[in-house]
Amino acid sequence: MSTSAAPPHSQTLINLLAAFNGESNAAARYAAFAVKADQEGYLKVGSLFRAASRAEQIHAANHAAVIQKMGGTPQATIAPAEVKTTAENLQAAIAGELYEVDIMYPDFLREAEAQKNTAARRTFKFAFEVEKEHARLFTKALEHIQHCVDKTCEKLSSKATYYVCPECGFTADQAEFDRC
């Protein structure tokens, strides 16, 4: 079944719209969290949030392309980001990523597979795999903050480079990765 043959209000289309909205909001939230991390002197965490924000933009764009192929219109309602301390922002980010990994994307993948929608399955699978890595990177950053109270700690006070795959959004702290 091609993606264009799906019913206009299929569950997969509804899931894509929800994912597009969620990824769009995550991108905005992580951009705001990056500013706060920089303000608090956690430059490496700020770099991580910016990279994750870019990855979420890629996920949203991938979802949008499939939504359009299915005859839908991608729309997002961006909620104001609730910015707290960097440690609290990391905790919120971890919780959001784990929700996507444990509940949202597995459910969306099952539905896309049931509807034999390969384009939706592909974009959901990309996001699912990347969100696992985001949860890992955010958890690692939070552990550094909790164990390095002196903000001059090398692992926190210097900027870092993260690499984001322009196709799937995979985020890594090393240039050598092969995900798509």
Side-chain angles (χ1 to χ4, degrees):
M1 176 170 149
S2 72
T3 57
S4 61
H9 296 291
S10 73
Q11 187 59 49
T12 295
L13 179 57
I14 292 166
N15 292 347
L16 281 161
L17 291 165
F20 175 79
N21 188 67
E23 299 293 353
S24 298
N25 273 278
R29 188 170 43 256
Y30 293 165
F33 289 176
V35 171
K36 181 65 171 181
D38 289 346
Q39 289 170 348
E40 290 183 348
Y42 297 120
L43 303 182
K44 184 171 185 176
V45 178
S47 297
L48 173 58
F49 276 130
R50 275 186 289 286
S53 176
R54 179 65 189 124
E56 305 301 2
Q57 291 170 353
I58 291 166
H59 297 160
N62 288 343
H63 296 337
V66 179
I67 290 167
Q68 291 169 338
K69 284 181 187 176
M70 294 178 69
T73 303
Q75 296 178 346
T77 304
I78 307 299
E82 186 177 341
V83 179
K84 298 181 178 179
T85 68
T86 298
E88 290 169 312
N89 293 340
L90 282 165
Q91 290 168 342
I94 293 165
E97 299 295 332
L98 290 178
Y99 166 76
E100 290 178 334
V101 167
D102 294 338
I103 298 168
M104 188 180 92
Y105 280 119
D107 288 348
F108 289 3
L109 277 161
R110 276 191 292 279
E111 184 63 33
E113 288 169 4
Q115 290 187 4
K116 298 181 179 18
N117 188 319
T118 56
R121 185 188 173 288
R122 182 175 191 260
T123 191
F124 289 151
K125 183 73 172 167
F126 278 170
F128 173 70
E129 294 299 328
V130 173
E131 306 309 6
K132 286 192 256 184
E133 185 63 9
H134 287 171
R136 187 188 74 76
L137 290 169
F138 289 148
T139 299
K140 183 178 169 184
L142 181 59
E143 288 169 356
H144 286 308
I145 285 177
Q146 292 170 335
H147 292 100
C148 184
V149 276
D150 178 4
K151 289 184 181 128
T152 62
C153 177
E154 177 186 334
K155 293 184 180 190
L156 298 172
S157 64
S158 59
K159 287 188 178 183
T161 300
Y162 288 90
Y163 302 88
V164 180
C165 174
E167 184 176 343
C168 72
F170 187 77
T171 308
D173 54 5
Q174 297 178 17
E176 301 297 321
F177 64 91
D178 180 25
R179 299 303 290 184
C180 301

